[in-house]
Amino acid sequence: MTLIRIFVSGLIVLFALERTASAEHEFSEVKPIVIVNYSEFPHAWKSRNDHPAIEDLYAVHHDENDPYLKAKIGHRPQRIFKKKSWDPFTHPIITWKWRLHTMPTDNEKSIAVYVSLGTDIIGIPKIVKYLWSNTHPEGTELNEGFFRPHEVVVQSKAIPTNEWITEYVDASEDYSRFFGMEPDEEAYGIGFLVSPGIEIDFSDVVALPRE
């Protein structure tokens, strides 16, 4: 009986190890997901205000054959948003590049990348805004109030760099921390908000697995 028990225990351990190895291999095969590119812009994008039109403030350009979105905002901010679903559990990391050309310093200005990994009970998106701010230092977290987005400052350089800067954020972890719950099974979408007088470029937005 003792030998049988040892044999059975060994089989259980071996089976568990094989399942773990299989799961690790499966996870390692998870590929990045391009959430946002601009090949069909402005199709499927929605703006908060219809005037001026999206095309008057945001335009697709090419940098060494790679398309990017240029925002050149006039006298009032313009938010655009695109509904896009992906699995925030397999792809919790969001990455993008942005390149700042102009940012006025006369008063508070910011650029925001909106990430929504779910909605509330009436379907309103729950949003975390990742900011490039000219007033708040990196790492600052802000809450505009009930039913308003949470904000995280990830860049605070007011002087234009004219160079691409890459960001990585753990959107799933931030969502859970701010809203006290896990993301929905399918994320809701991505958006941008740019303050007046700012000129900035956005690369594709990509979702990654955790390493």
Side-chain angles (χ1 to χ4, degrees):
M1 289 295 294
T2 301
L3 290 176
I4 293 175
R5 288 175 181 171
I6 293 173
F7 177 73
V8 171
S9 298
L11 287 177
I12 292 173
V13 171
L14 180 61
F15 179 70
L17 290 173
E18 288 179 349
R19 289 190 63 184
T20 300
S22 176
E24 289 178 350
H25 175 72
E26 181 179 348
F27 187 78
S28 68
E29 295 298 317
V30 176
K31 303 299 183 183
I33 297 173
V34 178
I35 302 171
V36 170
N37 64 29
Y38 310 107
S39 59
E40 298 181 354
F41 185 87
H43 175 70
W45 288 84
K46 302 294 183 182
S47 63
R48 185 173 185 177
N49 304 304
D50 293 330
H51 302 286
I54 291 177
E55 301 94 317
D56 294 337
L57 301 177
Y58 293 85
V60 177
H61 292 248
H62 290 79
D63 190 359
E64 298 178 355
N65 298 319
D66 292 326
Y68 64 89
L69 190 68
K70 177 177 288 292
K72 193 171 184 179
I73 307 302
H75 298 296
R76 65 177 180 177
Q78 177 69 297
R79 184 182 72 187
I80 60 174
F81 193 87
K82 182 177 183 179
K83 291 183 68 174
K84 176 69 176 180
S85 64
W86 72 94
D87 187 335
F89 295 95
T90 61
H91 292 76
I93 308 300
I94 303 299
T95 182
W96 70 93
K97 295 188 294 183
W98 43 8
R99 177 170 57 187
L100 181 64
H101 297 290
T102 303
M103 177 181 279
T105 58
D106 53 342
N107 48 42
E108 185 172 351
K109 305 286 185 180
S110 65
I111 307 110
V113 174
Y114 282 62
V115 180
S116 176
L117 301 187
T119 61
D120 63 17
I121 58 174
I122 60 174
I124 297 176
K126 294 181 177 180
I127 291 172
V128 178
K129 292 165 61 176
Y130 297 97
L131 302 182
W132 189 322
S133 171
N134 69 345
T135 55
H136 299 290
E138 290 181 31
T140 300
E141 295 184 356
L142 306 167
N143 185 357
E144 297 181 347
F146 200 54
F147 292 127
R148 301 292 295 173
H150 292 269
E151 300 180 339
V152 181
V153 178
V154 294
Q155 283 293 332
S156 60
K157 301 178 181 68
I159 299 174
T161 63
N162 294 308
E163 295 180 355
W164 288 110
I165 295 177
T166 303
E167 306 293 348
Y168 293 90
V169 298
D170 192 326
S172 182
E173 182 178 285
D174 289 340
Y175 183 97
S176 298
R177 182 163 55 89
F178 288 132
F179 297 109
M181 62 182 67
E182 290 188 335
D184 292 355
E185 291 183 359
E186 290 188 354
Y188 187 81
I190 293 287
F192 304 124
L193 174 65
V194 181
S195 293
I198 290 176
E199 181 179 346
I200 190 166
D201 305 329
F202 297 97
S203 74
D204 291 354
V205 181
V206 179
L208 303 171
R210 290 194 184 96
E211 294 183 356

